[in-house]
Structure formats: structure tokens, C-alpha cells
Amino acid sequence: MFPSSFSHELKEGETISIKLTVTVPIGCFDINRQNNCKTSIFLQTPEYRSSANSCKPLSNQGDLAFDEKGCGIVIESSAWWEEKILNVTGKSDRLINHPRDRNLNIKLGSITNSPEDPSKVWYNFTMPDVKIRLYDKDDHMINKLCSADTDPRMKTFDGKSWTASLAGEFVMYRDTKRRIAVHALFSSCMWGGQGHCGCGIAVKVENSLFAYRTCERISNHYSKPLIHHDTVYHICDDRHMVVDIGNQYSSVNGKLS
């Protein structure tokens, strides 16, 4: 068995169909039982295993997802010559990856002793790896900004604007892999709840934390600012985050490298 090509290119979120041609039939001693004579060529991706005695769900592992039918390819004696299709999808991780493109491998093989293949022709079969070049589709987000100004007027990374007239603490950004989070605090700017303002921010990068708060209470109906603003520093070093306190504005820079 061999694929249409041993090298493919794929973008995150897209699916390709790899065609597989079978060159050796599945033997069957009884023509009346051909439907029961078959062999399974298992996916052994992303983990390399010496055999495929067990079939693990692979859709939630690694950078590739598969349209799994028996965790691989099933070749039946009655139609062994038919072209097989393996659908491969590049997973979108919503991250700008470094390096941006990844080289992956798909490994296919059969088990060493299958009762469904009495001819034993396909015992311990291993096909050479199919190489996949997975391209990052999130690189269009490089140098993009999201923001929240007083009211609060929000702008997302993809440039969409909207107004959030709400009181409370909200997650502006989160990266669970790098343990990065940005939270914003909104409350009423005046009595009667006629407007909302940003009155707090918290930024966490790895083990470093910076928080700044100007309101004592959070409410949709009244405003109660702090006489002395609260500031929290927990910066282990400048490897992950640098805070620059200015007269009017302060900047918090998280280092992602």
C-alpha cells in the first residue's frame, strides 16, 4: 500500500484527503466468507508505537485530526482493490507558533496477529511515513492589538468595535499554555448608572503579576472611587514582564519569547 504522495502541505483548519492504493489482496480461504476477511491498517500518529495492538482515539492528540474509521484504513477481501481515503485536518491552536510552520509525520501499520486476516499477508505491515507540512494560519494576528477605553469601548484583535455597558471583572485575554491573562474591571462612573468606566486592570504573565485599581466598589448604579489607588506588584524578574510607571500613563509589557 502506498499513498498518492509521501509529502503534503496543509494549513491549520483545513482538510486534505490522502489517497491510498492497495497493491496486495486480502486472502480468504472461503469465498462465502469474504465479507469477514479483512485487515485494519491503524493510525500510529502522533505517538510512535512498535505495533497497533490497541486503538487509541487520536482526534484530541497532537496537531492533526483524522476522520477515523476504525482508527485507520480497513481493507476488505471482497473489494481490496478499491482506493482508500484518509482525511487529515490541521488543528487550529489559535496561537502564533514559533517556528511558524511545523513538520509532522503520519505513521500507518497493522497488528502482528489479526484473526480477520487468515492469509497473514498483512501481518506486521508498516508503511513509510507520510510527511505533513502544517502552516500556521494565525500569523495574520502578528502586531494586532485589542483595547478597552473608558465607556468602555472595546476593540478586538480583528478590529471589531463594541461598547460594554456592564459592571464587573472581565477576561480581556487569556493564554492557558503560556499562563498569560489580562483582566479588566468596569464600574459606574457616576450616580444613577448613566455611564461605565474602566477602574482596574490585572496582568499576569507566567509568575509575574501587576494589578491596579481605582474604584472601591463595583456597581451598575453608583460610583465610589478609592481615595488612594491600589497597586499590586508581584514581579519575580523582568524576564516575563516589565512595568513602566509614568506620570499620566503606565505601560505593562509582557515578554512572549
Side-chain angles (χ1 to χ4, degrees), residues 157-175:
F157 282 111
D158 54 1
K160 296 179 180 178
S161 300
W162 58 288
T163 300
S165 296
L166 299 168
E169 181 178 352
F170 300 91
V171 178
M172 304 292 290
Y173 176 81
R174 177 182 291 163
D175 180 347

Side-chain angles (χ1 to χ4, degrees), residues 182-203:
V182 179
H183 289 211
L185 201 62
F186 303 146
S187 183
S188 176
C189 297
M190 59 191 72
W191 287 92
Q194 296 179 4
H196 291 76
C197 299
C199 65
I201 186 171
V203 181

Side-chain angles (χ1 to χ4, degrees), residues 21-199:
T21 300
V22 181
T23 56
V24 177
I26 304 298
C28 197
F29 298 142
D30 187 350
I31 193 172
N32 296 318
R33 300 182 59 191
Q34 266 194 318
N35 292 332
N36 296 324
C37 294
K38 56 188 177 182
T39 192
S40 296
I41 309 300
F42 290 98
L43 284 163
Q44 298 180 15
T45 302
E47 296 178 358
Y48 282 95
R49 300 192 292 273
S50 58
S51 64
N53 294 320
S54 62
C55 186
K56 294 183 178 180
L58 302 174
S59 290
N60 295 323
Q61 301 182 43
D63 296 305
L64 300 174
F66 302 90
D67 179 16
E68 300 168 34
K69 297 177 180 178
C71 288
I73 303 298
V74 178
I75 306 173
E76 297 178 347
S77 175
S78 58
W80 65 269
W81 58 88
E82 292 182 354
E83 187 177 69
K84 307 301 178 185
I85 300 294
L86 178 66
N87 293 319
V88 183
T89 301
K91 287 186 178 180
S92 178
D93 56 8
R94 301 182 183 275
L95 296 174
I96 300 172
N97 299 288
H98 297 282
R100 220 165 279 168
D101 306 325
R102 286 156 284 170
N103 293 313
L104 308 170
N105 295 285
I106 297 176
K107 188 179 182 68
L108 290 165
S110 64
I111 61 177
T112 56
N113 186 12
S114 172
E116 296 177 327
D117 180 14
S119 68
K120 302 182 180 180
V121 172
W122 287 85
Y123 275 22
N124 204 26
F125 163 77
T126 301
M127 190 180 77
D129 288 3
V130 177
K131 299 184 182 302
I132 303 291
R133 180 80 167 176
L134 183 62
Y135 293 98
D136 187 8
K137 77 169 188 178
D138 301 306
D139 57 359
H140 67 282
M141 300 300 292
I142 293 177
N143 295 327
K144 298 290 186 179
L145 297 175
C146 69
S147 62
D149 298 324
T150 296
D151 263 3
R153 297 185 182 93
M154 320 289 285
K155 179 175 281 189
T156 62
F157 282 111
D158 54 1
K160 296 179 180 178
S161 300
W162 58 288
T163 300
S165 296
L166 299 168
E169 181 178 352
F170 300 91
V171 178
M172 304 292 290
Y173 176 81
R174 177 182 291 163
D175 180 347
T176 56
K177 290 186 177 180
R178 282 290 318 279
R179 293 187 294 134
I180 300 173
V182 179
H183 289 211
L185 201 62
F186 303 146
S187 183
S188 176
C189 297
M190 59 191 72
W191 287 92
Q194 296 179 4
H196 291 76
C197 299
C199 65

